[in-house]
Amino acid sequence: MSITGTQVAYYIVCPRKLWLFTHHINFEQTSELVADGRFISESTYERRADRYVQLEIECVKIDFYDAAEGVVHETKRSNKMEPAHIAQIKYYMYLLEKHGIPVHYGILEYPKQRLTHRVDLTDEDRQAIPRWLAEIEQIVSSPSCPAAIQEPFCKQCAYFDFCYADEEPLQAAVPQVENTVGQ
Ligand code: SF4
């Protein structure tokens, strides 16, 4: 099974989100992926056109790869779900390495916050990532959707209404926070 970077990020955020997304249950009007794509295409990185290339490996599309430096760049709208972004870019580096493509490190970019973070792939990651992939396969191949995780950031997730419809006590139990799942 080929696994995308988005699936890896959703796996880190919430198994239910991973399952729903993989089973094509999406809400286009609020889709974070659509918003991310629009944001990236609207982000003006003039030097990119010359230096960076887009890569496709298995079913993964890496938007910006600096072949001269062996650096993967990943751009996000917000750093509020950074652990998921770190996992995603580490997965990209893992895949590049697996296919013999030179990669030295990754850079997470948050243009709106004017932040960049370097991400390295460690030996620990090389051992952990196959375990993530096995767990992802297990989650998505299950016939039933995992339970809602009831985390504060659920309020900002595109699936919130779907997950908590008709569950007023749950909605009340999930406090308002400034967070954005999957951004
Ligand atoms: S609302 Fe919460 S439980 Fe539902 S998919 Fe999103 S993060 Fe997961």
Side-chain angles (χ1 to χ4, degrees):
M1 175 185 170
S2 292
I3 292 172
T4 68
T6 301
Q7 285 175 304
V8 168
Y10 286 1
Y11 159 72
I12 298 294
V13 172
C14 167
R16 182 177 174 89
K17 187 176 174 98
L18 166 66
W19 191 96
L20 290 167
F21 170 75
T22 304
H23 288 257
H24 309 292
I25 300 169
N26 291 306
F27 299 96
E28 191 65 18
Q29 306 90 319
T30 51
S31 165
E32 294 135 14
L33 288 176
V34 171
D36 276 341
R38 193 181 305 122
F39 174 74
I40 290 164
S41 66
E42 286 170 358
S43 297
T44 50
Y45 283 74
E46 290 167 6
R47 63 200 166 93
R48 284 203 162 144
D50 300 329
R51 282 190 57 195
Y52 300 173
V53 294
Q54 194 177 71
L55 276 184
E56 281 192 49
I57 305 175
E58 298 177 11
C59 65
V60 165
K61 192 156 83 175
I62 299 172
D63 285 331
F64 302 113
Y65 171 66
D66 182 343
E69 302 291 335
V71 178
V72 181
H73 295 253
E74 179 68 12
T75 304
K76 299 291 188 187
R77 284 178 295 156
S78 158
N79 62 347
K80 288 178 179 167
M81 297 305 289
E82 192 167 32
H85 305 156
I86 291 171
Q88 185 173 355
I89 200 167
K90 284 187 176 199
Y91 175 52
Y92 291 164
M93 288 190 279
Y94 170 87
L95 272 185
L96 288 168
E97 221 177 65
K98 189 175 139 196
H99 287 268
I101 299 169
V103 58
H104 297 130
Y105 58 92
I107 296 182
L108 273 175
E109 301 179 349
Y110 302 103
K112 275 171 114 175
Q113 293 82 18
R114 299 183 183 278
L115 291 172
T116 59
H117 291 159
R118 173 175 166 147
V119 180
D120 292 292
L121 186 71
T122 66
D123 285 341
E124 208 173 64
D125 298 325
R126 291 180 184 94
Q127 289 179 356
I129 290 171
R131 290 199 297 272
W132 300 351
L133 303 181
E135 277 184 40
I136 288 170
E137 288 206 31
Q138 200 176 18
I139 291 166
V140 303
S141 62
S142 167
S144 52
C145 181
I149 57 174
Q150 301 184 41
E151 289 288 339
F153 54 71
C154 286
K155 273 277 191 187
Q156 300 301 319
C157 175
Y159 291 109
F160 180 77
D161 288 340
F162 179 82
C163 290
Y164 298 106
D166 303 325
E167 296 190 40
E168 286 303 324
L170 278 182
Q171 293 202 31
V174 178
Q176 276 276 9
V177 291
E178 291 209 0
N179 208 339
T180 307
V181 174
Q183 291 189 354

